Amino acid sequence: MAKEGSGNDSAAARRTPAGAAVLREDKTEAIRAAVFEELAAVGFARMSIEGIARRAGVGKTAVYRRWRSKLHLVLDVVSAVAAAGMPTPDTGSLSGDVRMLLEVAARALRHPMASQIVPDLLAEAARSPELATALKAALHDSQEGVAAAMVARAVERGEIPAGADGRLALDLLTGPLYWRLLVVRDAVPAGYLDELTVAVVGALGGR
């Protein structure tokens, strides 16, 4: 009987795919979180697999089993951000939708990690077409559909004329905040988002 049990155990071991127990989701998420922390701390150029692994509390092999380079790791993390996307507001009015999106965008850009990571990755994207494509998806393409839907609903409600440009709406929503928070590094004063809301709605032909 002992031999029979041993044989069964061996067969079970052979049927278990190699690495199946290694790619644990908790380790994967720890590595992804460590990427953000490492990017904020040292930037893409100085970031290393060793540093990510140390920050995540795993060995280097745990990282390399999932991604073959730091570029592919960052691309995966950026793509995950793109998939999460910006929420689609439906407050019942264009000004309400615009105000909500501005609040979400301002909160995201004020985050200490975003203020360090986004400019650094945009600079690196000038040297990496793969990263540039991923960043475009994360910072623009994933939000373009949200802006288009917001504008379409406003047109249906008669708040703005047909033909209003969703891409212009997105530029107006994010451009001023990016400039103020990540380029000039200035605070958003009280009432600024309300003023910006009025400006965006007016630029789209609303009142």
Side-chain angles (χ1 to χ4, degrees):
M1 294 295 292
K3 287 185 177 181
E4 191 173 322
S6 175
N8 288 340
D9 291 343
S10 298
R14 286 195 299 271
R15 287 194 299 270
T16 302
V22 176
L23 300 182
R24 287 166 35 190
E25 188 60 27
D26 59 332
K27 285 191 176 183
T28 301
E29 290 309 310
I31 294 169
R32 288 191 174 118
V35 171
F36 284 113
E37 295 171 5
E38 194 73 359
L39 279 171
V42 304
F44 182 85
R46 294 175 57 200
M47 186 179 78
S48 66
I49 295 295
E50 291 82 357
I52 293 168
R54 183 167 54 251
R55 196 178 289 271
V58 301
K60 286 192 301 181
T61 54
V63 181
Y64 281 118
R65 284 192 185 100
R66 293 162 173 81
W67 301 277
R68 66 177 182 269
S69 69
K70 72 174 185 179
L71 174 60
H72 289 90
L73 176 49
V74 170
L75 289 175
D76 176 68
V77 170
V78 168
S79 297
V81 171
M86 186 184 290
T88 303
D90 192 4
T91 65
S93 71
L94 178 60
S95 61
D97 291 349
V98 168
R99 183 62 174 77
M100 180 180 290
L101 288 179
L102 286 172
E103 181 65 40
V104 171
R107 191 182 307 123
L109 292 174
R110 273 194 297 249
H111 193 285
M113 283 193 184
S115 67
Q116 297 296 324
I117 292 171
V118 174
D120 178 69
L121 287 182
L122 287 173
E124 189 63 33
R127 297 180 286 273
S128 170
E130 285 182 286
L131 184 56
T133 298
L135 283 177
K136 183 174 181 292
L139 301 177
H140 184 273
D141 295 354
S142 62
Q143 283 79 35
E144 190 171 2
V146 172
M150 178 188 71
V151 167
R153 284 195 299 270
V155 170
E156 290 174 2
R157 290 190 296 258
E159 294 180 275
I160 54 177
D165 191 346
R167 297 193 70 176
L168 174 62
L170 183 58
D171 291 344
L172 294 170
L173 281 164
T174 57
L177 288 175
Y178 183 89
W179 175 262
R180 178 178 283 271
L181 292 171
L182 298 190
V183 178
V184 180
R185 301 278 174 169
D186 199 0
V188 173
Y192 177 75
L193 295 185
D194 293 327
E195 294 173 4
L196 194 52
T197 297
V198 173
V200 172
V201 171
L204 293 173
R207 295 183 299 275

